[in-house]
PDB file of all heavy atoms in Angstrom:
ATOM      1  N   VAL N 232      12.391  14.528-102.063  1.00  0.00           N
ATOM      2  CA  VAL N 232      11.823  13.210-102.369  1.00  0.00           C
ATOM      3  C   VAL N 232      10.367  13.253-101.915  1.00  0.00           C
ATOM      4  O   VAL N 232       9.533  12.798-102.628  1.00  0.00           O
ATOM      5  CB  VAL N 232      12.770  12.091-101.646  1.00  0.00           C
ATOM      6  CG1 VAL N 232      12.054  10.788-101.786  1.00  0.00           C
ATOM      7  CG2 VAL N 232      14.080  12.164-102.226  1.00  0.00           C
ATOM      8  N   TYR N 233      10.179  13.837-100.683  1.00  0.00           N
ATOM      9  CA  TYR N 233       8.843  13.939-100.196  1.00  0.00           C
ATOM     10  C   TYR N 233       8.044  14.707-101.234  1.00  0.00           C
ATOM     11  O   TYR N 233       6.890  14.566-101.451  1.00  0.00           O
ATOM     12  CB  TYR N 233       8.746  14.679 -98.812  1.00  0.00           C
ATOM     13  CG  TYR N 233       9.080  13.813 -97.707  1.00  0.00           C
ATOM     14  CD1 TYR N 233      10.285  13.977 -96.973  1.00  0.00           C
ATOM     15  CD2 TYR N 233       8.258  12.836 -97.290  1.00  0.00           C
ATOM     16  CE1 TYR N 233      10.580  13.221 -95.879  1.00  0.00           C
ATOM     17  CE2 TYR N 233       8.511  12.117 -96.185  1.00  0.00           C
ATOM     18  CZ  TYR N 233       9.769  12.303 -95.586  1.00  0.00           C
ATOM     19  OH  TYR N 233      10.002  11.555 -94.397  1.00  0.00           O
ATOM     20  N   GLY N 234       8.635  15.706-101.742  1.00  0.00           N
ATOM     21  CA  GLY N 234       7.996  16.692-102.719  1.00  0.00           C
ATOM     22  C   GLY N 234       7.475  15.835-103.944  1.00  0.00           C
ATOM     23  O   GLY N 234       6.231  16.004-104.352  1.00  0.00           O
ATOM     24  N   PHE N 235       8.332  15.175-104.632  1.00  0.00           N
ATOM     25  CA  PHE N 235       7.698  14.395-105.744  1.00  0.00           C
ATOM     26  C   PHE N 235       6.854  13.209-105.292  1.00  0.00           C
ATOM     27  O   PHE N 235       5.894  12.937-106.094  1.00  0.00           O
ATOM     28  CB  PHE N 235       8.699  14.146-106.891  1.00  0.00           C
ATOM     29  CG  PHE N 235       9.871  13.280-106.472  1.00  0.00           C
ATOM     30  CD1 PHE N 235       9.731  11.865-106.202  1.00  0.00           C
ATOM     31  CD2 PHE N 235      11.165  13.700-106.535  1.00  0.00           C
ATOM     32  CE1 PHE N 235      10.865  11.121-105.847  1.00  0.00           C
ATOM     33  CE2 PHE N 235      12.325  12.979-106.283  1.00  0.00           C
ATOM     34  CZ  PHE N 235      12.057  11.688-105.868  1.00  0.00           C
ATOM     35  N   PHE N 236       7.087  12.730-104.209  1.00  0.00           N
ATOM     36  CA  PHE N 236       6.071  11.731-103.619  1.00  0.00           C
ATOM     37  C   PHE N 236       4.720  12.417-103.601  1.00  0.00           C
ATOM     38  O   PHE N 236       3.767  11.795-103.854  1.00  0.00           O
ATOM     39  CB  PHE N 236       6.644  11.282-102.326  1.00  0.00           C
ATOM     40  CG  PHE N 236       5.803  10.125-101.693  1.00  0.00           C
ATOM     41  CD1 PHE N 236       5.502   9.081-102.131  1.00  0.00           C
ATOM     42  CD2 PHE N 236       5.142  10.494-100.469  1.00  0.00           C
ATOM     43  CE1 PHE N 236       4.711   8.063-101.604  1.00  0.00           C
ATOM     44  CE2 PHE N 236       4.279   9.561 -99.844  1.00  0.00           C
ATOM     45  CZ  PHE N 236       4.198   8.421-100.317  1.00  0.00           C
ATOM     46  N   ALA N 237       4.715  13.508-102.965  1.00  0.00           N
ATOM     47  CA  ALA N 237       3.452  14.236-102.737  1.00  0.00           C
ATOM     48  C   ALA N 237       2.757  14.681-104.096  1.00  0.00           C
ATOM     49  O   ALA N 237       1.661  14.445-104.308  1.00  0.00           O
ATOM     50  CB  ALA N 237       3.615  15.613-101.870  1.00  0.00           C
ATOM     51  N   LEU N 238       3.683  15.152-105.156  1.00  0.00           N
ATOM     52  CA  LEU N 238       3.137  15.583-106.368  1.00  0.00           C
ATOM     53  C   LEU N 238       2.600  14.410-107.227  1.00  0.00           C
ATOM     54  O   LEU N 238       1.659  14.425-107.851  1.00  0.00           O
ATOM     55  CB  LEU N 238       4.226  16.335-107.066  1.00  0.00           C
ATOM     56  CG  LEU N 238       3.873  16.813-108.402  1.00  0.00           C
ATOM     57  CD1 LEU N 238       2.688  17.925-108.247  1.00  0.00           C
ATOM     58  CD2 LEU N 238       5.138  17.473-109.105  1.00  0.00           C
ATOM     59  N   LEU N 239       3.518  13.425-107.156  1.00  0.00           N
ATOM     60  CA  LEU N 239       3.229  12.225-108.223  1.00  0.00           C
ATOM     61  C   LEU N 239       2.299  11.137-107.712  1.00  0.00           C
ATOM     62  O   LEU N 239       1.682  10.443-108.353  1.00  0.00           O
ATOM     63  CB  LEU N 239       4.563  11.609-108.710  1.00  0.00           C
ATOM     64  CG  LEU N 239       5.467  12.694-109.410  1.00  0.00           C
ATOM     65  CD1 LEU N 239       6.793  12.029-109.740  1.00  0.00           C
ATOM     66  CD2 LEU N 239       4.810  13.366-110.461  1.00  0.00           C
ATOM     67  N   THR N 240       2.311  10.984-106.395  1.00  0.00           N
ATOM     68  CA  THR N 240       1.590   9.856-105.819  1.00  0.00           C
ATOM     69  C   THR N 240       0.363  10.250-104.991  1.00  0.00           C
ATOM     70  O   THR N 240      -0.727   9.874-105.210  1.00  0.00           O
ATOM     71  CB  THR N 240       2.596   9.034-104.885  1.00  0.00           C
ATOM     72  OG1 THR N 240       3.711   8.661-105.632  1.00  0.00           O
ATOM     73  CG2 THR N 240       1.825   7.766-104.544  1.00  0.00           C
ATOM     74  N   VAL N 241       0.742  11.144-103.923  1.00  0.00           N
ATOM     75  CA  VAL N 241      -0.437  11.446-102.953  1.00  0.00           C
ATOM     76  C   VAL N 241      -1.467  12.358-103.613  1.00  0.00           C
ATOM     77  O   VAL N 241      -2.623  12.164-103.496  1.00  0.00           O
ATOM     78  CB  VAL N 241       0.182  12.124-101.704  1.00  0.00           C
ATOM     79  CG1 VAL N 241      -0.911  12.582-100.741  1.00  0.00           C
ATOM     80  CG2 VAL N 241       1.086  11.185-101.049  1.00  0.00           C
ATOM     81  N   GLY N 242      -0.973  13.411-104.277  1.00  0.00           N
ATOM     82  CA  GLY N 242      -1.922  14.352-104.992  1.00  0.00           C
ATOM     83  C   GLY N 242      -2.791  13.580-105.942  1.00  0.00           C
ATOM     84  O   GLY N 242      -4.064  13.664-105.705  1.00  0.00           O
ATOM     85  N   PRO N 243      -2.282  12.786-106.883  1.00  0.00           N
ATOM     86  CA  PRO N 243      -3.314  12.091-107.742  1.00  0.00           C
ATOM     87  C   PRO N 243      -4.105  11.139-107.005  1.00  0.00           C
ATOM     88  O   PRO N 243      -5.337  10.940-107.386  1.00  0.00           O
ATOM     89  CB  PRO N 243      -2.349  11.326-108.655  1.00  0.00           C
ATOM     90  CG  PRO N 243      -1.008  12.211-108.660  1.00  0.00           C
ATOM     91  CD  PRO N 243      -0.856  12.699-107.402  1.00  0.00           C
ATOM     92  N   ALA N 244      -3.555  10.491-106.049  1.00  0.00           N
ATOM     93  CA  ALA N 244      -4.428   9.554-105.234  1.00  0.00           C
ATOM     94  C   ALA N 244      -5.641  10.350-104.609  1.00  0.00           C
ATOM     95  O   ALA N 244      -6.761   9.878-104.650  1.00  0.00           O
ATOM     96  CB  ALA N 244      -3.574   8.957-104.127  1.00  0.00           C
TER      97      ALA N 244
END
Side-chain angles (χ1 to χ4, degrees):
Chain N
V232 176
Y233 280 110
F235 59 70
F236 180 63
L238 182 65
L239 301 179
T240 313
V241 178

